[in-house]
Amino acid sequence: MNPECPAPRHEDEVVLLGHGAGGRLTAELLERVVLPAVGGAGGPLEDAALLPDRPDLVMSTDSFVVSPLFFPGGDIGSLAVHGTVNDLAMRGARPLALSVSLIVEEGLPLTELRAVADSLGKAAQDAGVPVITGDTKVVGRGAADRLFVNTTGVGVRHPGLAPSAAAARPGDAVLLSGPVGLHGTTVLSTREGLGFESVIASDSRPLHRLVATLAPLGGAVHALRDPTRGGLAAALNEIARDSSVAVEIEERAVPVPEAVGAACDLLGLDPLTVANEGCLVAFVDAAAAPAALAALRSRPEGGAAVRIGEVLAEGAPGRVTARTLVGARRIVEMPLGELLPRIC
């Protein structure tokens, strides 16, 4: 009997780091695995959700796995507070309370855990939001990477302020509250010893007070997003997709710190795709843009706010383009996967 050729083996699909990057792979994972399992309805995936039958209340949850735990400008503790406070703020809410859960790997020095806990507590106190509940688990050596933090927040919307990723409209002005790329390049440089962390620091900070300055503009504020994983490119693409509009920005108008630009040139990265933790992008009615800029600039965290683009009256829905320094146009793609892993 002639031996039969073995049938080719089918390798099961596995989760990749890129599935947690906030780009196209993340969307695919949610659409194919997570949302069908929990009965998720169609529609935009916002930074925070409105509570059923209570549209004035907003809830968000996030897990933080940043490596290293400490970096110039912050650490995993303060980052966890700022990240959840900011997700609430992007739905027009001020934070009411937080929960904090810690997953600690056996062997983590207590001095490091204490430093993270102290930083987390101080960040919550500075943001004016109490930590009212939480949980702590310890896992065996090798079962986690030192320390993971989960924060869940509840907030209440400012009256008249109801931003949504699906609410951008043709003619809107696109505003940015500050420079991009600081957080991602700082964490990467610290992790890899590139040296850029000596001249830059993460922009991690709470943005809810900045959003509060926009509250008097009410319905003129259509969409807000903090460009974290996937950077400004992901945030703009998400809003363009969910609002079915075409967005164009001026590349030269986007503030990129010199050290961030140098790091991105060295690493072959687009600054628009690098994570941020202390700036926001706002889509506002064009007539309200001057007032919105003035409001943003009235706060230290919005002092460098600029207008970077607009929503086009015509164009391919869901497409984001950038006018380059030489006057040409390029498509700003949604990042595919994980350019900078473990960044938040």
Side-chain angles (χ1 to χ4, degrees):
M1 180 180 296
N2 293 328
E4 295 182 359
C5 292
R9 293 187 301 171
H10 174 72
E11 298 290 342
D12 288 339
E13 293 180 288
V14 297
V15 175
L16 306 173
L17 271 177
H19 283 113
R24 281 182 281 165
L25 285 179
T26 299
E28 179 183 292
L29 185 70
L30 293 174
E31 291 168 2
R32 292 176 54 187
V33 178
V34 179
L35 294 177
V38 299
L45 298 179
E46 305 277 9
D47 284 331
L50 308 183
L51 268 63
D53 302 320
R54 288 296 305 271
D56 59 322
L57 294 181
V58 177
M59 182 176 179
S60 182
T61 189
D62 208 345
S63 296
F64 295 84
V65 298
V66 64
S67 175
L69 299 181
F70 303 91
F71 46 84
D75 56 71
I76 195 171
S78 59
L79 181 65
V81 171
H82 297 161
T84 296
V85 165
N86 292 348
D87 282 347
L88 296 172
M90 295 310 106
R91 296 305 306 276
R94 63 176 178 86
L96 294 177
L98 295 175
S99 76
V100 174
S101 294
L102 307 176
I103 299 176
V104 188
E105 182 186 15
E106 180 187 16
L108 181 75
L110 277 175
T111 54
E112 293 190 18
L113 181 59
R114 185 175 292 112
V116 169
D118 288 346
S119 177
L120 189 153
K122 183 178 185 304
Q125 185 177 28
D126 291 346
V129 55
V131 176
I132 62 171
T133 189
D135 183 47
T136 301
K137 294 290 190 298
V138 178
V139 298
R141 293 176 187 268
D145 188 1
R146 307 184 72 202
L147 175 65
F148 298 154
V149 180
N150 173 273
T151 43
T152 298
V154 175
V156 60
R157 273 181 152 179
H158 295 281
L161 198 58
S164 168
R169 305 170 188 171
D172 278 357
V174 181
L175 312 180
L176 181 66
S177 69
V180 299
L182 286 166
H183 177 72
T185 50
T186 299
V187 172
L188 181 64
S189 182
T190 304
R191 181 192 305 160
E192 304 298 336
L194 301 179
F196 291 102
E197 72 274 13
S198 63
V199 292
I200 58 175
S202 169
D203 62 343
S204 179
R205 55 189 169 185
L207 297 173
H208 60 299
R209 297 185 179 100
L210 188 62
V211 170
T213 69
L214 298 175
L217 299 177
V221 180
H222 299 154
L224 297 172
R225 203 69 145 196
D226 58 332
T228 52
R229 294 177 304 171
L232 182 61
L236 294 175
N237 271 279
E238 288 165 352
I239 293 174
R241 176 197 65 204
D242 293 337
S243 297
S244 296
V245 295
V247 177
E248 183 166 281
I249 63 170
E250 290 283 345
E251 201 163 44
R252 72 179 65 201
V254 179
V256 179
E258 184 177 351
V260 171
C264 289
D265 286 343
L266 176 67
L267 300 168
L269 299 173
D270 183 345
L272 298 185
T273 66
V274 177
N276 312 275
E277 290 290 349
C279 67
L280 63 82
V281 60
F283 286 62
V284 302
D285 187 276
L293 275 175
L296 293 173
R297 291 169 180 167
S298 71
R299 293 283 313 175
E301 57 269 43
V306 292
R307 178 171 177 161
I308 63 169
E310 63 181 340
V311 178
L312 302 177
E314 297 180 352
R319 175 172 291 180
V320 179
T321 55
R323 290 186 63 87
T324 68
L325 297 178
V326 296
R329 285 184 173 86
R330 70 177 178 95
I331 296 176
V332 179
E333 299 278 5
M334 169 71 84
L336 173 62
E338 190 72 84
L339 298 175
L340 303 175
R342 305 287 300 281
I343 217 75
C344 62

